């Protein structure tokens, strides 16, 4: 077998064969079958696939539509699939790479380097912008996977944020918390955490600007004002109290031993 199949499903989906994009060669529901097979990692019966994607139409029409989708898969990615009269699956000896599988493994690994690699793979929510018509069961599955994978990347980012904060690596800590806030902009504790790290890093203006960003997001998204704890932190940074304490802390932490 020659060739390599790459599936990028975190963010807007992309299908590459030997480095060349082939998504446009496949109808939407043929793509959906490929994504479903890749993420579930299991052989699927033709009946299950027909129900998943054409459950709203009569059984005979669903199976006809499935045959057309499978024919499209044969034309484009046949060498990576086992297709018979009963089931469709990935070939165990196929050379294929799926970002979701790699992301899950690296995110769950104890190694910090692998967790960072997992975060880099997460370009956006699972199958962002991808949809197929009249397939509510597939839509339910897609949304469930989106939620699971988003929860996993958020959990991974929290672990990395804790690690870099403990290591006093402020630059990386700031970068990680910014990524968290992209995913959870309404999480006020994240804004406070970023404000503190920015202040500790000597970026007082950026820390104050972060408070304004937090205040605006809370107003727009939730119709609420920042919590007293957030306001108190803002006042400490504004007065210079937190910055001065941070500078002293930095001197204590990073000063060479006598």
């Amino acid at each position: 077998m020659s060739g390599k199949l790459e599936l990028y499903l975190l963010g807007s989906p992309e299908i590459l064969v030997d480095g060349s994009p082939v998504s446009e060669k496949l109808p939407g529901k043929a793509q959906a079958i490929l994504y479903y097979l890749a993420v579930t990692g299991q052989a699927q019966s033709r009946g299950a696939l027909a129900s998943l994607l054409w459950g709203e139409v009569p059984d005979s029409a669903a199976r006809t539509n499935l045959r057309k989708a499978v024919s499209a898969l044969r034309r484009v990615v046949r060498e990576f699939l086992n297709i018979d009269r009963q089931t469709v699956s990935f070939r165990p000896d196929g050379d294929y790479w799926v970002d979701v599988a790699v992301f899950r493994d690296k995110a769950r690994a104890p190694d910090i380097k692998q967790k960072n690699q997992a975060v880099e793979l997460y370009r956006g929510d699972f199958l962002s912008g991808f949809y197929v018509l009249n397939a509510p069961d597939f839509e339910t599955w897609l949304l469930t996977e989106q939620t699971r994978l988003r929860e996993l990347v958020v959990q991974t980012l929290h672990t990395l944020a804790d690690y870099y904060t403990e290591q006093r690596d402020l630059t990386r800590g700031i970068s990680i918390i910014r990524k968290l806030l992209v995913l959870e902009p309404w999480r006020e504790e994240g804004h406070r955490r970023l404000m503190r790290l920015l202040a500790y890093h000597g970026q007082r203006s950026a820390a104050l600007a972060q408070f304004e960003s937090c205040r605006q997001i809370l107003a727009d998204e939730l119709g609420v004002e920042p919590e007293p704890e957030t306001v108190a932190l803002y006042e400490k940074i504004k007065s210079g109290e937190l910055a001065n304490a941070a500078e002293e802390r930095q001197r204590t932490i990073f000063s060479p031993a006598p």
Side-chain angles (χ1 to χ4, degrees):
M1 177 181 292
S2 62
K4 180 174 183 177
L5 173 67
E6 297 171 89
L7 298 177
Y8 293 86
L9 310 182
L10 294 169
S12 179
E14 297 179 57
I15 307 169
L16 304 181
V17 174
D18 289 338
S20 298
V22 299
S23 302
E24 293 184 358
K25 297 179 181 180
L26 290 170
K29 291 196 176 181
Q31 291 184 44
I33 292 171
L34 193 64
Y35 303 153
Y36 188 72
L37 292 173
V39 174
T40 60
Q42 298 177 344
Q44 300 293 333
S45 71
R46 286 177 175 257
L49 292 174
S51 177
L52 180 72
L53 289 160
W54 293 278
E56 301 292 289
V57 302
D59 184 64
S60 59
R63 289 185 176 274
T64 297
N65 290 332
L66 176 64
R67 283 195 295 272
K68 292 178 181 178
V70 169
S71 293
L73 289 171
R74 278 197 176 100
R75 289 194 299 271
V76 180
V77 291
R78 178 173 188 164
E79 62 185 306
F80 304 101
L81 299 176
N82 279 327
I83 301 173
D84 59 36
R85 294 177 63 86
Q86 301 298 324
T87 64
V88 184
S89 65
F90 272 90
R91 294 183 60 168
D93 60 341
D95 186 5
Y96 58 92
W97 181 92
V98 184
D99 63 350
V100 170
V102 178
F103 164 77
R104 286 190 298 214
D105 288 344
K106 290 182 177 294
R108 291 166 179 160
D111 182 68
I112 290 297
K113 181 178 180 181
Q114 291 196 59
K115 289 185 181 298
N116 273 301
Q117 291 171 347
V119 168
E120 291 302 315
L121 283 171
Y122 197 93
R123 298 176 296 121
D125 284 337
F126 175 64
L127 296 184
S128 178
F130 178 79
Y131 64 94
V132 291
L133 295 175
N134 303 319
D137 288 348
F138 179 82
E139 184 73 13
T140 297
W141 172 79
L142 188 157
L143 292 174
T144 300
E145 289 301 316
Q146 275 188 353
T147 299
R148 287 176 180 165
L149 293 167
R150 176 181 271 257
E151 288 175 351
L152 182 55
V153 75
V154 167
Q155 177 186 342
T156 304
L157 286 166
H158 276 293
T159 299
L160 290 171
D162 290 342
Y163 174 81
Y164 288 122
T165 299
E166 291 169 2
Q167 296 296 312
R168 304 292 189 261
D169 190 336
L170 301 180
T171 299
R172 288 190 177 184
I174 288 167
S175 174
I176 291 296
I177 294 173
R178 286 193 189 282
K179 290 179 180 180
L180 262 173
L181 287 173
V182 169
L183 294 170
E184 298 183 321
W186 57 86
R187 191 64 68 89
E188 195 166 347
E189 185 274 336
H191 289 279
R192 288 196 297 268
R193 196 169 187 179
L194 181 55
M195 289 165 64
R196 288 191 190 95
L197 288 185
L198 288 168
Y200 284 146
H201 202 249
Q203 300 183 49
R204 179 169 170 269
S205 295
L208 296 175
Q210 188 62 39
F211 171 80
E212 294 300 331
S213 175
C214 172
R215 185 182 62 78
Q216 190 63 54
I217 289 169
L218 292 176
D220 292 344
E221 299 286 334
L222 304 176
V224 299
E225 292 293 321
E227 295 173 355
E229 183 180 352
T230 308
V231 176
L233 176 61
Y234 167 77
E235 294 297 340
K236 282 186 177 181
I237 296 171
K238 186 177 180 181
S239 68
E241 179 183 347
L242 185 60
N244 291 336
E247 289 166 8
E248 179 60 33
R249 187 177 183 184
Q250 293 288 79
R251 285 196 294 271
T252 301
I253 293 169
F254 295 111
S255 292

